[in-house]
Amino acid sequence: MYREKVHIPIEKPCIILKGSGSNTTIIAYNDSANNVGTSDSATFISSPPNVVVSGISFKNTYGSNGPAVAANFYGDKSAIFECSFFGYQDTLLISSGRSYFKNCFIQGEVDFICGEGQSYFENCVINAVQEKSKSIGFVTAQLREKPNDPNGFVFKGGSIIGIGQVNLGRPWGPYSRVIFWETYFSSVITPEGWNLWHVRGDQKESTYIPWHSLFRSMF
């Protein structure tokens, strides 16, 4: 296990970062938004385009007392294969760009797949880990500010498992877009599914449009 923060700077594109498997190659740290802000709390930050990552686990071990990111992707055309991401709140942050995740494992409870990216998740396992003292969480918090923005999250196949209960997501912006397609939903998903994030004071419920959600639930 490597206990450090790793940052691929924007001037270093076309990087291939290959581990020996997510059970073997582990990068962990315990920073949080309380110390450096949400984006910079990430154990791993990838800024440039054309980055390929495979066979690595990224962990933020800070705990459940606020945002603490395991990995943050900025660069366009990022491809991530057979990696694992562990955290509780804001585990996987896709700040911008197009990204592709395949056969990955993503663990958290509150907004733990979040950001403004245009991202496709294929056959990924999403593990919700609600603490008994905490309220129901959210798998996604996607940010899309304008109706013509091309970004959004698409989940093809895979599964959502875990303990306790979790919502599929809540919108970070007025036009947030998340699609679940042929994804297995265990009983961890609430019957309501989605939440409009009523606690946000900067926007009213009437500004939201329905999330585009196509999914097959198999309880």
Side-chain angles (χ1 to χ4, degrees):
M1 177 185 291
Y2 302 91
R3 293 195 176 277
E4 59 181 322
K5 296 180 73 168
V6 177
H7 181 199
I8 303 176
I10 195 169
E11 65 271 15
K12 298 288 186 180
C14 303
I15 293 288
I16 298 175
L17 192 62
K18 184 176 181 180
S20 298
S22 60
N23 292 327
T24 302
T25 305
I26 301 168
I27 302 174
Y29 207 74
N30 65 343
D31 216 344
S32 75
N34 296 329
N35 297 325
V36 295
T38 300
S39 298
D40 290 336
S41 70
T43 300
F44 173 71
I45 300 176
S46 178
S47 295
N50 301 302
V51 169
V52 178
V53 185
S54 66
I56 301 175
S57 283
F58 302 98
K59 295 185 177 184
N60 193 314
T61 59
Y62 177 75
S64 60
N65 294 318
V69 180
N72 183 1
F73 290 89
Y74 287 97
D76 192 33
K77 292 182 287 185
S78 300
I80 301 92
F81 302 96
E82 298 179 353
C83 287
S84 296
F85 305 90
F86 295 88
Y88 193 85
Q89 183 171 347
D90 297 358
T91 302
L92 177 58
L93 174 58
I94 305 120
S95 291
S96 59
R98 292 169 290 177
S99 54
Y100 174 64
F101 296 81
K102 184 173 183 180
N103 297 334
C104 291
F105 180 89
I106 308 162
Q107 178 172 295
E109 177 65 17
V110 180
D111 305 333
F112 62 102
I113 303 174
C114 59
E116 199 170 358
Q118 183 178 347
S119 305
Y120 190 91
F121 300 83
E122 185 173 4
N123 295 330
C124 293
V125 175
I126 299 168
N127 188 38
V129 286
Q130 182 186 24
E131 290 191 355
K132 291 182 179 180
S133 61
K134 302 290 185 178
S135 59
I136 295 171
F138 309 88
V139 175
T140 64
Q142 200 275 328
L143 176 58
R144 186 167 176 260
E145 296 286 1
K146 300 177 182 178
N148 295 323
D149 286 347
N151 60 317
F153 296 161
V154 176
F155 297 85
K156 172 63 168 64
S159 60
I160 302 177
I161 59 174
I163 58 175
Q165 285 192 302
V166 71
N167 294 290
L168 292 171
R170 55 182 176 178
W172 196 351
Y175 298 94
S176 298
R177 179 163 59 184
V178 174
I179 297 171
F180 287 94
W181 177 20
E182 296 184 341
T183 301
Y184 171 77
F185 293 165
S186 74
S187 58
V188 72
I189 300 296
T190 65
E192 295 79 12
W194 306 100
N195 181 285
L196 284 177
W197 209 338
H198 297 290
V199 297
R200 296 192 64 193
D202 58 332
Q203 292 172 334
K204 297 182 182 298
E205 181 177 334
S206 60
T207 67
Y208 293 113
I209 63 170
W211 286 16
H212 301 274
S213 55
L214 172 65
F215 52 85
R216 178 180 301 169
S217 61
M218 296 173 284
F219 293 99

